[in-house]
Amino acid sequence: MKRIALLGATGSIGRQAVEIVERSPELELCALMSGSSSLDGLAAAHGVEHVQVGGSAAELLEASEPDIVLNAIVGFAGVEATLWALERGVTLALANKESLVAAGELALAAHRRGGGLLLPVDSEHSAIFQCLEGREPGTVAELILTASGGPFRGRSRADLEHVTVADALDHPTWVMGRKITVDSATLANKGLELIEAHWLFGVPYERLAVVVHPTSIVHSLVRFRDGALLAHLGQPDMRVPISFALTYPERAAVPTAPLDLAAGLDLRFEAPDGDAFPLLPLARAAGERGGTFPCAYNAANEVAVAAFLEGRIGFLEIAETVAAALEQVDGAPARDLDDLVAVDAAARRAAERRLVPA
Ligand code: NAD
Ligand code: MG
């Protein structure tokens, strides 16, 4: 029996994870956490004793002694749980990409000390993880992340000036939480994933590429030095990477419809448009600068997305806010979590100042 601490249990990933656990006789929930929604019903249904709404994840994790932490919290709030699991060598199934973006160096150091498994739940990274399994690192030429392009693919910057919150939340291929859905519309999600891939796979940015693939059938690819490309194909169904991480290395069955290859697959690819979607090149630049620039990028993006969802700013101002905040931080590396929390808070303040009309 694997005991799972499910953090972010009421969210899009969290609910799909519950479904995977319910199907598997080898998995059980030992702890549940959410930000504000009640967990009473879920805890009662699964006989879970360790339950927490808001606050610090560490106490819950200490008390419940999980075999696996599934971190499906949204945003920087997931950092504490990521560092907790990595430091102790407890298997971390990571959906919360923001924690690896913000805490990259600290997380890697904790992972080295803890020596446990770090299994990506993000579909692209799960795909790359699987394409890389058993390969010699020296044979890998490039990791290629696919992006659906979101609801605004093909639009110019001018076309994006008046798009609404409802337009941005209308994702063509994936049904997800609101924050990541807006991130998919701005391509900040792919920017965060670029930085996530850098830390997960230890590959420098010049060997990380992004390609737009509107049907989300190819979840990502790896190019090897002999020119061979290995790709991971499947339905856009997050239950697959969630199940892969929770049942690794067994790979349990998932009741997803098989791809009908003979029906013809639409495997188009195109280059991302960095002018219309500047949050993608901004993320790459923040990643390359290193230090706490990625943490600041993430913090400012969280503030800007929340402001957009509240109707306080327009779509194009999300990127403008992040760019302005990045200019106000020094990006000095964080020595510990306290340092990082201070950097995150400073970047949030810088972003908030930008939101207030001058
Ligand atoms: P969501 O908004 O649907 O759910 C977020 C969950 O986090 C909720 O349970 C919420 O209560 C909880 N939460 C929020 N603040 C919290 C806090 N301070 N402390 C504890 N819990 C808190 O989001 P989602 O779409 O499920 O995404 C979760 C994470 O997974 C994000 O990092 C996202 O980028 C990543 N992810 C999601 C998908 C997807 O298909 N939804 C795909 C890939 C990666
Ligand atoms: Mg993804």
Side-chain angles (χ1 to χ4, degrees):
M1 215 44 156
K2 288 188 196 166
R3 293 160 42 80
I4 297 166
L6 177 54
L7 313 178
T10 55
S12 163
I13 294 288
R15 291 191 308 271
Q16 295 178 84
V18 169
E19 192 190 323
I20 296 297
V21 171
E22 283 170 351
R23 289 181 171 278
S24 169
E26 277 102 56
L27 303 177
E28 72 177 0
L29 296 171
C30 69
L32 296 169
M33 184 172 186
S34 75
S36 53
S37 324
S38 165
L39 292 162
D40 294 348
L42 191 58
H46 288 264
V48 181
E49 172 190 344
H50 301 281
V51 175
Q52 191 171 304
V53 177
S56 147
E59 267 173 53
L60 177 79
L61 293 170
E62 294 290 349
S64 58
E65 298 180 23
D67 300 310
I68 304 181
V69 174
L70 172 47
N71 189 352
I73 294 173
V74 60
F76 185 83
V79 166
E80 188 192 11
T82 287
L83 294 179
W84 186 94
L86 292 175
E87 190 72 55
R88 282 156 191 79
V90 174
T91 298
L92 175 62
L94 185 65
N96 177 257
K97 65 193 87 186
E98 295 94 338
S99 58
L100 210 51
V101 169
E105 251 137 16
L106 295 178
L108 232 69
H111 189 205
R112 270 194 298 271
R113 289 190 296 268
L117 277 174
L118 169 50
L119 300 167
V121 170
D122 218 346
S123 58
E124 297 78 1
H125 304 74
S126 179
I128 290 173
F129 179 91
Q130 292 173 56
C131 292
L132 286 175
E133 267 194 299
R135 319 288 164 193
E136 203 41 63
T139 64
V140 175
E142 191 179 34
L143 309 184
I144 305 167
L145 295 163
T146 52
S148 72
F152 304 138
R153 182 178 59 85
R155 303 226 196 156
S156 69
R157 196 181 150 72
D159 293 339
L160 293 172
E161 175 129 28
H162 299 295
V163 298
T164 65
V165 170
D167 296 334
L169 289 177
D170 188 18
H171 196 276
T173 53
W174 296 97
V175 180
M176 310 177 286
R178 283 157 64 89
K179 191 259 179 183
I180 184 177
T181 305
V182 174
D183 284 347
S184 300
T186 61
L187 294 197
N189 183 51
K190 216 48 56 178
L192 295 170
E193 291 185 359
L194 204 62
I195 301 171
E196 179 187 16
H198 170 76
W199 293 117
L200 277 173
F201 304 116
V203 169
Y205 287 96
E206 64 266 22
R207 294 200 284 118
L208 294 175
V210 172
V211 67
V212 172
H213 169 52
T215 52
S216 301
I217 289 169
V218 175
H219 296 312
S220 277
L221 312 90
V222 176
R223 191 194 308 279
F224 292 87
R225 63 181 174 191
D226 59 359
L229 278 174
L230 292 193
H232 180 292
L233 280 70
Q235 304 282 4
D237 181 342
M238 285 308 294
R239 294 176 308 170
V240 177
I242 294 169
S243 175
F244 180 84
L246 294 183
T247 67
Y248 182 82
E250 273 97 34
R251 195 190 278 273
V254 177
T256 190
L259 274 181
D260 185 355
L261 298 174
L265 295 182
D266 180 351
L267 297 183
R268 267 177 307 158
F269 297 93
E270 56 194 52
D273 179 350
D275 292 328
F277 303 100
L279 281 166
L280 180 56
L282 272 172
R284 183 182 282 279
E288 282 169 347
R289 290 172 88 182
T292 50
F293 284 110
C295 176
Y297 172 95
N298 176 68
N301 183 57
E302 287 190 33
V303 168
V305 170
F308 171 69
L309 285 169
E310 288 162 12
R312 294 168 65 199
I313 61 172
F315 185 79
L316 292 176
E317 286 168 285
I318 301 173
E320 287 164 13
T321 304
V322 175
L326 280 169
E327 276 173 21
Q328 289 176 51
V329 298
D330 65 16
R335 283 155 304 180
D336 53 27
L337 182 55
D338 288 345
D339 254 13
L340 195 71
V341 168
V343 170
D344 172 79
R348 281 169 199 272
R349 285 194 300 273
E352 287 286 356
R353 278 196 300 274
R354 178 65 174 66
L355 299 177
V356 181

